[in-house]
Amino acid sequence: MTTRRVTGLKDVARAAGVSVTTVSRLLNGSLDLPSETKKRISDAIRDLNYQPNPHARRLSRGRSDTIGLVVPDIANPFFATLVAAVEEEADTRGLAVSLYATLNRAGREVAYLQLIERNHVDGLIFVTNHPDDGQLATLINRTGKVVIADEDVPGAQAPKLFCDNELGGALAGRHLAEFGHRDVLFVGGPQAMISSRRRSNGLERTLRDAFGEDIRLLKYAGDYTVAFGRQAAKRFIEEGRPATAIFASSDEIAIGMIEVFRDQGVSVPDDVSVIGFDDVGPLHLFGPPMTAIRQPVRAIGGRALSLLLETNWQGKQALVEELLPVEIVVRKSVAPPAKR
């Protein structure tokens, strides 16, 4: 069985009696030719059934019409929802999205950032989920055309888009204070991460507004994962349940903690109250349904793409940090402190 060779630009150029460059420039609209020459090329394209490669044509113009999206983990419902929102916004603009999952590893993040320098994508929406040692910021500043979303890369000179993390912490603190909780455990990421730092700051500020110095705020720091949630819950139990309420700073952490509490017979909210963050997972199906701070995940994804396309990368502009609002979704996981 023989394979039919695909007709290329060289074949068209040979049949029309012109150079490959002439055919290429005519097709991408950068060259005007005499009508006779145009006709010879058009006839050759028709006779040879030549099908232009749109991807190659875009690359010849220095663009790919493809946006890169770098996320830590597509199995996580939060990032899966973010990806879907970017895809939908790109579709309305006639753009393609290349998705890269880093497994939250710095080495993979570096490799994907370098795609811009090789013109594989026209720009990048970059989402990390760990503190940066300076390597990512240096590379972002060198490559440009990057929008940072969800979590900060300190020192990176790029447009940044976050939810209002401090407001989220404040809403959680206010709700807990209304039920009389003065001893609260915050379970989140390292303080070096903007999400964790701002959420805990908002929580503490609101608790102090309600109770002054008569509060105790404990903190467990780790990854935004179910596994860390389980570890935090076990530690909480081993330490004698040192707080009456817990603010879990992601759905994944909250899910891990609830799993352990259920297995160990710790009742929510009778023994301890719990508030989550993100509200992308099925927190409403828990027993009891979990109160949570809801991030506008889909809005973050759509706005990140718009910001990437709206930024004038050729000129100097004031760097922006946009904050999108959050809200509290009150369910049944908070009650007054249990009597001890």
Side-chain angles (χ1 to χ4, degrees):
M1 179 178 176
T2 59
T3 301
R4 184 175 178 273
R5 188 173 69 85
V6 177
T7 301
L9 278 178
K10 288 183 179 179
D11 301 304
V12 174
R14 187 181 303 113
V18 296
S19 70
V20 172
T21 301
T22 298
V23 177
S24 177
R25 292 186 61 190
L26 177 67
L27 291 177
N28 66 31
S30 64
L31 178 66
D32 191 22
L33 294 171
S35 57
E36 181 186 350
T37 308
K38 285 182 182 179
K39 185 177 185 306
R40 290 206 313 272
I41 295 174
S42 297
D43 290 346
I45 289 174
R46 183 195 64 235
D47 295 343
L48 296 172
N49 194 28
Y50 171 67
Q51 300 295 324
N53 183 332
H55 181 65
R57 289 176 62 187
R58 287 192 294 265
L59 289 179
S60 72
R61 301 196 305 269
R63 48 183 285 202
S64 67
D65 287 345
T66 300
I67 300 301
L69 174 58
V70 175
V71 297
D73 179 11
I74 56 175
N76 183 310
F78 176 90
F79 297 119
T81 304
L82 184 73
V83 168
V86 174
E87 286 276 11
E88 289 176 7
E89 182 67 20
D91 184 61
T92 66
R93 297 172 179 265
L95 300 173
V97 175
S98 288
L99 176 63
Y100 307 95
T102 66
L103 307 179
N104 212 28
R105 297 175 185 169
R108 289 171 68 90
E109 291 173 331
V110 167
Y112 294 144
L113 281 168
Q114 291 171 337
L115 288 173
I116 297 178
E117 295 182 304
R118 298 195 293 270
N119 289 324
H120 286 191
V121 293
D122 295 331
L124 208 63
I125 298 170
F126 185 80
V127 184
T128 187
N129 205 22
H130 64 82
D132 177 36
D133 62 3
Q135 185 179 22
L136 294 178
T138 298
L139 189 54
I140 289 171
N141 292 342
R142 190 178 80 199
T143 59
K145 291 189 179 179
V146 178
V147 167
I148 297 169
D150 183 55
E151 187 63 58
D152 194 19
V153 179
Q157 303 298 302
K160 300 179 180 182
L161 180 67
F162 312 128
C163 81
D164 194 336
N165 289 291
E166 186 155 352
L167 174 61
L171 291 174
R174 185 177 305 138
H175 190 63
L176 293 176
E178 288 171 352
F179 280 85
H181 290 281
R182 301 166 185 260
D183 298 330
V184 178
L185 169 63
F186 174 79
V187 186
Q191 280 292 99
M193 295 176 67
I194 195 172
S195 57
S196 186
R197 186 170 64 253
R198 291 183 178 179
R199 290 170 197 176
S200 64
N201 287 347
L203 174 69
E204 181 172 4
R205 174 173 53 79
T206 309
L207 290 175
R208 291 196 184 281
D209 287 345
F211 302 118
E213 296 302 312
D214 189 19
I215 67 167
R216 182 170 62 155
L217 180 59
L218 306 175
K219 298 179 183 179
Y220 295 171
D223 299 324
Y224 288 120
T225 62
V226 172
F228 174 62
R230 295 190 190 108
Q231 295 171 14
K234 292 174 183 176
R235 176 181 170 185
F236 178 74
I237 294 171
E238 290 169 358
E239 293 179 352
R241 302 198 326 237
T244 62
I246 297 171
F247 179 25
S249 192
S250 77
D251 283 354
E252 303 293 286
I253 291 175
I255 290 170
M257 298 193 78
I258 293 299
E259 286 180 0
V260 172
F261 289 161
R262 180 194 59 205
D263 293 343
Q264 297 297 318
V266 177
S267 174
V268 176
D270 295 334
D271 296 327
V272 61
S273 293
V274 179
I275 294 180
F277 198 104
D278 292 335
D279 201 41
V280 176
L283 303 186
H284 61 293
L285 299 179
F286 282 31
M290 185 180 296
T291 294
I293 306 302
R294 177 177 290 170
Q295 282 213 63
V297 187
R298 300 191 72 85
I300 292 173
R303 179 56 187 150
L305 180 57
S306 297
L307 193 57
L308 182 65
L309 300 177
E310 291 169 6
T311 299
N312 177 13
W313 299 102
Q314 304 304 318
K316 285 191 174 182
Q317 288 191 353
L319 296 176
V320 299
E321 179 186 303
E322 290 190 19
L323 300 181
L324 297 184
V326 298
E327 61 181 325
I328 186 168
V329 180
V330 176
R331 298 188 179 105
K332 302 291 185 180
S333 62
V334 177
K339 294 182 180 179
R340 302 197 175 199

